Amino acid sequence: MTETRILTRHFDRPGAHTLRGWRELGGYAAWEKAQGMEPAAIVEEVKKSNLRGLGGAGFPTGTKWSFIPRDHRGPVYLVVNADEGEPGTFKDRYLLERTPHALIEGMLITARAIRAALGFVYIRGEYVEPWRRFSAAVREAYDAGILGRGLDVVVHRGAGAYICGEETGLISSLEGRKGWPKLKPPFPAVKGAFGAPTIVNNVETLCHVPHVIAGGAEWFASLGTRTQGGTRIFSVSGRVRRPGIYEAPVSITLRRLVYDLAGGVTGTGRLKAVVPGGSSAPILRADEIDVTMDVDGLRAAGSMAGSAGVIVMDESVSIPEALMVVARFYAHESCGQCTPCRESTGWIYRMVRRIVEGRGRKEDLDTILDVARRGAGTTICAFYDGAVGPYISYIEKFRDEFEALIPR
Amino acid sequence: MSTSGVTFSPEQLAEVRRLQGLYPDPRGALLPVLHMAQETFGHISLEVEEYVAGLFRLSPAHVHEVVTFYTLFFQRPKGRHVISVCHNLSCHLAGAPKILAHLRQKLGIDVGETTGDERFTLLAVECLCACEHAPMMQVDDRYELDLTPERVDRIVEGLP
Ligand SMILES: Cc1cc2nc3c(=O)[nH]c(=O)nc-3n(C[C@H](O)[C@H](O)[C@H](O)COP(=O)(O)O)c2cc1C
Ligand code: SF4
Ligand code: FES
């Protein structure tokens, strides 16, 4: 089993991040081609390719683009979500550093498709090196006349807040406010940044667009499953022999990813559990990893593809302790706008910590499950549902480990 | 206010105006300008908030709300170097608690504190998205990867 390298094909080429290097590798050819296509034809091609958003929600990309109201007069914005923050995910960091022009090319094609003349790239504040690399590429593209003739790009630095990865929180932040998510509808495609129709896409999603245009929708779709085309970059970390990024068709199984690509399990060498799609994805037991990694495959398995951040745990890992760490994260990152999210994330973290510290009570586990479920689906954004996934799955699947910590 | 010394240079003011012009609403430049302010003044005091608010014709209350929302903005003086150790899941599995304990002992401070000589501020932070190199930390602008206590010693001792 080997990788299928499309996005990552040139990652090891030393000059691939420069305009000259990128051109030598055939860069901007897809943009040339797209300039001869009608915007509607680009949207159609992306729809047919079955490209789905790779930032977390897995929404069909071409369909999202077509939500911009047809009769809209006035500006439309393209916003690139480079706020990578989902625990266990690190692919966008590589894309920004290694092949920044791939993202610029994807932005050019996408902007043409949605008729945007201004694009923002929101890069998490901690990503200083990726920000420098990407900004340098933007300057090169301006100097070469690739940008500034129909599309302007503003590189925007965040300032440390996981919730700004959520698209409406990101828009609030881009507008110079705290990153509070907004109720949908209206969806950003109708009323987004600065009140204008806005398409928010993940870095990796947009880096795929040139390949869809160059290789054609049919080829792209044929790489994946019936409902999701192409490859994606899996970030693999935790107890594996070769942690790192691996690009593979979305139809790869979790087992192959962990054992064939990442080299298998370290620690005791025996697998206990895997988180397949960033920390918000419900955990899978060792006997649940013969599942394909596409959006629908993981949904059917009761988890989610999310950001494709794969975190591997061997038998020596304490699941209650892992949940304590995850729960601390959600308690810290809740933006505090919705009562169930603000209250439950803090409260559940304290409960799990109490159990891990040996001060739990018999009824605590059911109380946590009950509290977690009650708030789910009622909040402004999907952050809270992303916290509930781990709370419930860790406890339901490894209940005996939690019970063993509770004094009789 | 004018006696406080909280003012940008003319070049910086030109940069503020350039940044404001990039956004459909100048307020979009608030985060970039706050980054600039922190680099210039060291941290974002109430005075700095008021100064920046004036540059945007925003209320100081709005700027305060923004500054307090984001973890990268410091409201109080920080050390010359900020050491942020990731304590999220992959780093935890790779021994982040040991790295944090080592740094606490080495620097003689707790998480969230600054050393008496104002050289170091120690923080524990959420996933910095370099989990393939866990455990890891950020020191000022740089990511330091695949940490061991010995590596941490070398990094800290190598700082100016
Ligand atoms: C709490 C939360 C955090 C998110 N963080 C990110 C992120 O860091 N990067 C990202 O691209 N999408 C993130 N998303 C998903 C975005 O809201 C949005 O769906 C995505 O950027 C759309 O791009 P795509 O369709 O290309 O995936 C997050 C969503 C939620 C609810
Ligand atoms: S669900 Fe949580 S993070 Fe999302 S808006 Fe509500 S309080 Fe904020
Ligand atoms: S968990 Fe530490 S970098 Fe991701």
Side-chain angles (χ1 to χ4, degrees), chain A residues 355 362 365 398-408:
Chain A
I355 293 170
K362 205 163 66 63
L365 292 172
F398 297 93
R399 192 170 177 119
D400 51 340
E401 268 193 58
F402 288 87
E403 283 173 347
L405 294 173
I406 297 175
R408 292 176 189 279

Side-chain angles (χ1 to χ4, degrees), chain A residues 137-252:
Chain A
V138 167
R139 278 195 299 277
E140 282 183 310
Y142 266 106
D143 290 345
I146 296 167
L147 290 176
R149 293 187 190 167
L151 179 66
D152 281 303
V153 169
V154 175
V155 185
H156 183 98
R157 276 184 75 196
Y162 167 70
I163 197 57
C164 293
E166 196 281 336
E167 57 185 1
T168 60
L170 186 151
I171 287 171
S172 296
S173 179
L174 186 67
E175 293 171 335
R177 303 178 219 261
K178 58 187 173 183
W180 271 15
K182 299 170 193 173
L183 255 184
K184 295 184 265 197
F187 288 91
V190 176
K191 188 168 182 288
F194 306 100
T198 301
I199 293 298
V200 183
N201 273 132
N202 171 257
V203 171
E204 187 185 3
T205 309
L206 290 178
C207 287
H208 258 323
V209 169
H211 296 289
V212 169
I213 297 304
E218 266 170 44
W219 161 77
F220 192 86
S222 74
L223 293 168
T225 65
R226 204 173 45 76
T227 55
Q228 184 178 10
T231 57
R232 76 182 299 182
I233 305 175
F234 297 94
S235 309
V236 186
S237 68
R239 301 275 168 85
V240 284
R241 215 165 293 282
R242 291 191 298 270
I245 49 164
Y246 296 96
E247 184 177 3
V250 296
S251 53
I252 189 176

